[in-house]
Amino acid sequence: MAVLTNQTVLTERENNRHTLRAVVASCIGWSLDLYDLFILLFVAPIIGKLFFPSEHAMLSLAAVYASFGVTLLMRPLGSALFGSYADRKGRKAAMIASMIGVGVSTAAFGLLPTVATIGVAAPILFIVLRLIQGVFVGGVVAATHTIGTESVAPRWRGAVSGLIGGGGAGLGALFASIAYYALSAAFPGEQFEEWGWRCMFFTGIISAVLGITIFG
C-alpha cells in the first residue's frame, strides 16, 4: 500500500510539473510573440519617415499604426491554418513553426530598403511583410492559449487563459522596452535612425531561438 501511495504521489508531482511547464512556456511564448509586435511601436516615428514619408508627421505615423492593424487582421487566418496544422502534427510542432515564422519575419523588417532607396516599392514590401507576420502571429495565438489551457483542469482554464493573455502581454511590452533602452544606448542619436531601428527588428531572431529552446 505504501509503495502504491508513494507512486501515486510521484505521479501527481510529475503531472503538476508538466502542467506548470506548459503554462509557463505558453505565457513566455505569447510574450515573445507580442514582443515582436511591440517593437514596431517603439520605432514607429522612424518607420513613418523612412517608409511612409509625408509633409505631415502625423500622417506618416498613422500609416505605421495602420500597418499594425493589418497584422492583427491576419490573425484569424493564421489561427485557422496553424490550428489545422496542430490537429495533424501536434500542438508543439505548430507552436515551434509559428514562433520561428514570427521571429524570422520580424528580423526581415531590418533588411528592408527604404523609400529613399527603392521608392514606392518600400512601403509595399513593408505591408506585405506585415501580412505574412500576421499569419504567424495568429498561429502563436492559437498554439499558446491551447497548450496552456488544455494542460490544466477545466476549473482553472479561465484563469490560465487570462494569465497567458494578460501576463504575456505585460512581459512582451517589458522585453520590448528593455530592447529599446539597450539599443538606444548602443546607437545614440542619428545612429539609431540609421542602424538602431534595424537592430530592433533583428532581435526577432532571439525570440525564434527561444521558442525552439522552450518548446523543442
Side-chain angles (χ1 to χ4, degrees), residues 23-47:
V23 172
V24 171
S26 296
C27 187
I28 293 176
W30 180 227
S31 72
L32 293 174
D33 181 57
L34 288 178
Y35 165 81
D36 290 327
L37 289 181
F38 288 155
I39 285 173
L40 178 63
L41 301 180
F42 285 89
V43 297
I46 297 174
I47 296 299

